[in-house]
Amino acid sequence: MKIPPLQQEFVLHFGEMGSRWGINRTVGQIYALLFLSANALNADQITEALGISRSNASMGLKELQAWRLVRLKHVPGDRKDHFTTPDDLWEIVRILIEERKKREIDPTLTKLRALEMQGPAGDDYSEARISELREMIEMMTGFYEDMARLETEKLVRLMTYGSRIAGLIDKVGGVFPSKNR
């Protein structure tokens, strides 16, 4: 299976970016190949297209399945497992954010809360910074949870308003109470 030049360039770039995002380069390339493929691919097709070992393809597919970024798809008349990505780009973004939150933000928040529960340690500055950080992360995760509940159409509309929202906040000023006041 030969990859057209446009796809090849995208796959290579995604592999490079994957390594910057903390995933294996090959995993990024597998995802990019599946993302651009109009049809679900099996591990042999992925192996051939990317020039990687079968075991490397299998490990990459398992990792992508653990992230819920690829799905198993059965092709009638073929006993091999085929893989595809979700069609909806917003679903992909939501999955990525949710998985990153679960793997990176939630453990940090748990640790910060545990540190605060240890009680005073005599280091007022460090204790205050830990509390500030926990409060900020809780605020951000609360905002994330609010946005995650929005229907995609409403979220897109909200995002298109961009800086106009900041201007609106400036105009209403003291009309809405702030938690920080």
Side-chain angles (χ1 to χ4, degrees):
M1 175 177 173
K2 181 143 175 62
I3 304 174
L6 177 70
Q7 288 183 6
Q8 181 74 30
E9 192 170 334
F10 182 82
V11 166
L12 291 173
H13 175 74
F14 221 79
E16 292 290 325
M17 292 310 299
S19 64
R20 293 181 185 150
W21 295 328
I23 62 169
N24 179 300
R25 177 187 313 256
T26 303
V27 172
Q29 290 178 345
I30 292 169
Y31 185 78
L33 179 67
L34 292 171
F35 179 82
L36 292 181
S37 181
N39 301 310
L41 302 176
N42 64 46
D44 293 332
Q45 292 169 310
I46 293 167
T47 297
E48 181 186 337
L50 297 178
I52 60 175
S53 70
R54 179 72 162 76
S55 63
N56 210 355
S58 293
M59 288 181 356
L61 288 166
K62 282 183 179 151
E63 185 173 341
L64 289 166
Q65 283 178 301
W67 276 81
R68 299 179 305 128
L69 290 171
V70 298
R71 299 196 173 128
L72 187 61
K73 182 175 184 181
H74 295 286
V75 174
D78 192 340
R79 294 176 58 190
K80 294 179 179 178
D81 289 338
H82 290 72
F83 300 90
T84 188
T85 63
D87 291 328
D88 181 3
L89 291 175
W90 285 98
E91 180 183 357
I92 294 168
V93 169
R94 287 175 191 261
I95 290 169
L96 278 169
I97 293 170
E98 183 181 324
E99 289 293 325
R100 300 287 311 225
K101 179 186 173 296
K102 181 172 69 176
R103 295 163 192 254
E104 299 167 22
I105 303 297
D106 291 349
T108 300
L109 196 49
T110 299
K111 184 61 174 181
L112 293 171
R113 288 175 179 150
L115 290 170
E116 283 184 306
M117 290 181 70
Q118 290 177 2
D123 184 354
D124 293 343
Y125 181 78
S126 295
E127 291 170 20
R129 296 293 284 178
I130 286 170
S131 289
E132 278 182 88
L133 182 58
R134 179 199 42 81
E135 289 170 4
M136 184 193 71
I137 292 174
E138 284 176 344
M139 186 184 308
M140 288 172 37
T141 57
F143 180 75
Y144 158 75
E145 289 163 2
D146 290 344
M147 295 301 105
R149 283 190 291 271
L150 288 178
E151 298 166 5
T152 299
E153 296 77 28
K154 288 181 181 177
L155 182 60
V156 170
R157 208 169 0 164
L158 179 64
M159 291 178 71
T160 60
Y161 293 137
S163 63
R164 289 182 273 180
I165 293 173
L168 179 63
I169 292 169
D170 289 341
K171 285 181 185 174
V172 298
V175 175
F176 296 109
S178 172
K179 283 186 175 182
N180 294 335
R181 289 183 186 178

